[in-house]
Amino acid sequence: VIFSAALIVFGLFFLSVRTSDSLASRKIHIIQLNDDTINPVTAEYIIGAIDRAVQENAQCLILKMDTPGGLLNSTRMIVKKMLVSKVPIVVYIAPSGSRAGSAGVFLTYASHVAAMAPSTNIGAAHPVQIGERMPQQTGEWRELKELIDDLKEIKQGKENEMPPGEQESTQTDAGGIKHNGQYEADQNPMESKILQDTVAFIKAIAKERNRNIDWGVESVVKSASITSEEAIEKGVVEILADNEEDLLEKLDGRRVMVNGQEVLLQTKDASVELIEMDSRQKFFNVLANPNIAYFLLILGFYGLLFEVTHPGFGMPGILGTIFLILAFYSMQTLPTNYAGLALLVLGIVFLVAEAFTPTFGVLTLGGLACMILGSMLLFESTDPVMRVSRSAIIAFSLTTAGITLFLMRSVLRAHRAKVHGGQEGLIGTVGEAQTNFIPGTQGKVFVHGELWNAKSDEKIQKGDEIIVQAVEGLTVKIKKK
């Protein structure tokens, strides 16, 4: 009886331990990108969340995503971590109205399970080189491309009329190599290199996760974008879920391959833990906003401008330096065009020069023109989210113009104002004769609280009011008031 009771107690203890372990392993971590770009800060956030999910033996990690895209280098870091993750990763493009643009396509393809909410979209993964205006963004390039396509059609029609041997000798493959052994250079070698590398990247991910390779390539090459329903049909994502509860229900019982091993997802009634960015990550992620970066950059320039025009090492110079450092940090996480930055710096130089060598508005107009052009060119991207808003540019430009005009007015007032100190300040001052003056003789006058030697070309009596006409060394020339 005692032995049986001991077996029962041991069995209950073992069952409770197994149950607690099972409940512990049925924890689900959720992280989210809410209209955040893919940058070094968000990459650190996602990679850290994956490591934490592995350490805490989570059932899976859900990345709830709404992103316009971001930097290719940061995307590669995240994808590499996702492909070797020991925990199943689910990318959920939600809520309704969200998107997985550009870099979001690569993260979706790299996930073990991809899901979308209704009324969401995914695509437009064409790479845009940082700091350079890509030719696809110009109307001239599009017109030229249409002309080239027309010429290709005409050429293809002529080749079809040629004998087979001649057709083969004039055709060119995708790499720009003719079949007769001759080479054709790309119109933009750097763009072609980045594009081909990105195509290979998406193809490798799609093959690893058994997703639609053709659409992945089309998204990169042609910037194709599709809705959630189309993504299900094309095999880009596996699940269409209305909300998180619906997603967990549809994930339950699904088998996924993680590092070569099949894992059964048990998400029903599992505990859900939201993993948020820490305070440092939140702060630096805010700096990745182009409007914030622009705001800090202009404030930094204002601080230094005030420090230069008002000598003395004070708070404006310190704050201006801090703002500039933060702005430069932001620019390394954004598609910065350094020509735009150079124009901004040149504009500030012109405004500083105006303060020291007034040109009555010439340098001010040049500085404002440089600032406006530089602001428009500072961050270049096909997505408006990655550019400075025009309202911010107009607001700062008008503010700068107002400050500059105020400084110019102060300078002009100072130039026109009467001098109150030194010898020049005595000219025009009223005083009193202390002695009698005969033309050609010297005497004494009391002027400006001081007793001065004076001379006059007219007769002046002691006690008469006089006016100083000139200062000649230590003698003033006077006349009767």
Side-chain angles (χ1 to χ4, degrees):
V1 174
I2 295 175
F3 181 72
S4 299
L7 283 177
I8 293 173
V9 172
F10 179 77
L12 291 174
F13 174 76
F14 180 75
L15 182 61
S16 65
V17 171
R18 289 293 301 272
T19 303
S20 63
D21 289 343
S22 176
L23 290 175
S25 64
R26 293 181 63 183
K27 179 190 295 185
I28 295 174
H29 289 184
I30 295 182
I31 58 177
Q32 57 183 4
L33 298 180
N34 186 16
D35 203 25
D36 296 313
T37 60
I38 305 301
N39 56 66
V41 179
T42 50
E44 177 189 338
Y45 170 53
I46 296 173
I47 292 173
I50 294 175
D51 291 334
R52 178 172 174 178
V54 173
Q55 292 175 0
E56 298 185 9
N57 194 27
Q59 180 72 202
C60 67
L61 173 67
I62 298 177
L63 170 56
K64 189 176 180 181
M65 186 170 65
D66 176 17
T67 178
L71 302 179
L72 190 57
N73 289 338
S74 299
T75 304
R76 286 184 178 275
M77 291 173 56
I78 300 172
V79 168
K80 284 194 293 185
K81 190 68 176 181
M82 294 174 70
L83 293 178
V84 299
S85 172
K86 297 179 181 179
V87 169
I89 298 175
V90 180
V91 168
Y92 180 37
I93 304 169
S96 296
S98 301
R99 57 179 167 170
S102 187
V105 176
F106 295 91
L107 301 191
T108 304
Y109 262 61
S111 64
H112 296 91
V113 181
M116 297 178 71
S119 302
T120 55
N121 63 283
I122 181 174
H126 187 93
V128 177
Q129 189 176 358
I130 291 178
E132 179 180 339
R133 185 174 179 84
M134 300 302 286
Q136 290 91 330
Q137 300 178 33
T138 63
E140 294 84 357
W141 187 91
R142 286 190 289 269
E143 293 175 2
L144 179 60
K145 185 176 182 300
E146 292 175 0
L147 178 60
I148 292 174
D149 291 339
D150 293 339
L151 292 175
K152 285 182 178 179
E153 292 179 2
I154 297 173
K155 181 181 178 182
Q156 187 65 36
K158 291 182 178 180
E159 288 175 353
N160 293 335
E161 299 174 359
M162 294 181 182
E166 295 183 13
Q167 289 181 24
E168 187 175 352
S169 64
T170 57
Q171 290 177 355
T172 305
D173 62 16
I177 303 176
K178 288 186 176 182
H179 291 290
N180 61 7
Q182 295 179 348
Y183 292 86
E184 287 185 354
D186 289 324
Q187 292 181 353
N188 192 329
M190 182 57 69
E191 179 198 357
S192 178
K193 184 181 294 185
I194 295 174
L195 180 60
Q196 295 301 327
D197 183 61
T198 310
V199 167
F201 187 38
I202 194 70
K203 287 171 69 176
I205 301 172
K207 185 177 180 181
E208 175 70 19
R209 295 301 191 218
N210 194 27
R211 292 204 167 90
N212 191 324
I213 297 177
D214 293 336
W215 185 86
V217 173
E218 186 178 356
S219 174
V220 172
V221 175
K222 299 182 179 180
S223 296
S225 185
I226 55 177
T227 64
S228 53
E229 290 77 11
E230 293 172 328
I232 292 289
E233 295 175 1
K234 292 180 179 293
V236 175
V237 300
E238 294 80 46
I239 297 176
L240 186 63
D242 296 331
N243 47 49
E244 292 179 13
E245 292 76 14
D246 188 27
L247 174 65
L248 294 179
E249 185 175 341
K250 291 180 178 179
L251 284 174
D252 190 56
R254 182 178 290 270
R255 297 182 182 273
V256 295
M257 296 298 296
V258 180
N259 282 341
Q261 296 182 351
E262 188 178 77
V263 175
L264 176 64
L265 296 178
Q266 297 177 325
T267 57
K268 191 175 182 180
D269 300 327
S271 61
V272 177
E273 181 180 358
L274 177 63
I275 310 297
E276 295 184 346
M277 290 185 180
D278 57 36
S279 300
R280 182 186 64 84
Q281 290 172 338
K282 288 180 180 178
F283 174 75
F284 286 111
N285 189 42
V286 169
L287 297 182
N289 186 312
N291 291 313
I292 299 297
Y294 178 68
F295 181 74
L296 291 172
L297 185 66
I298 298 299
L299 283 184
F301 283 143
Y302 282 167
L304 294 185
L305 177 62
F306 188 86
E307 188 68 33
V308 170
T309 54
H310 297 73
F313 192 74
M315 286 303 295
I318 296 174
L319 292 176
T321 304
I322 294 174
F323 290 151
L324 282 180
I325 292 173
L326 292 176
F328 290 145
Y329 170 83
S330 300
M331 282 187 278
Q332 73 174 350
T333 66
L334 293 166
T336 305
N337 185 329
Y338 292 100
L341 179 61
L343 282 172
L344 274 175
V345 174
L346 183 61
I348 297 298
V349 171
F350 283 162
L351 295 179
V352 173
E354 179 70 62
F356 284 98
T357 57
T359 59
F360 304 100
V362 175
L363 289 179
T364 299
L365 291 176
L368 288 176
C370 289
M371 286 194 66
I372 293 174
L373 291 174
S375 301
M376 295 175 66
L377 295 174
L378 185 59
F379 302 118
E380 285 210 349
S381 172
T382 55
D383 199 312
V385 177
M386 302 294 288
R387 297 197 299 265
V388 181
S389 68
R390 291 188 177 181
S391 57
I393 294 174
I394 294 172
F396 275 109
S397 298
L398 292 177
T399 303
T400 304
I403 292 174
T404 307
L405 291 175
F406 174 77
L407 292 176
M408 284 180 58
R409 185 181 178 187
S410 300
V411 170
L412 292 175
R413 273 184 167 180
H415 278 285
R416 294 173 179 174
K418 185 178 183 298
V419 179
H420 294 284
Q423 292 184 348
E424 293 81 0
L426 290 175
I427 299 174
T429 304
V430 177
E432 182 181 343
Q434 300 296 306
T435 60
N436 294 324
F437 286 86
I438 299 174
T441 62
Q442 288 192 357
K444 299 287 186 181
V445 295
F446 189 77
V447 180
H448 208 264
E450 300 170 332
L451 197 62
W452 282 78
N453 294 325
K455 64 181 181 179
S456 174
D457 293 333
E458 60 183 3
K459 186 178 178 179
I460 300 176
Q461 299 292 326
K462 180 181 178 181
D464 290 345
E465 286 189 334
I466 54 91
I467 296 176
V468 178
Q469 290 182 299
V471 180
E472 300 173 354
L474 297 178
T475 302
V476 296
K477 186 178 180 180
I478 63 171
K479 68 175 183 177
K480 190 176 181 180
K481 183 178 177 182

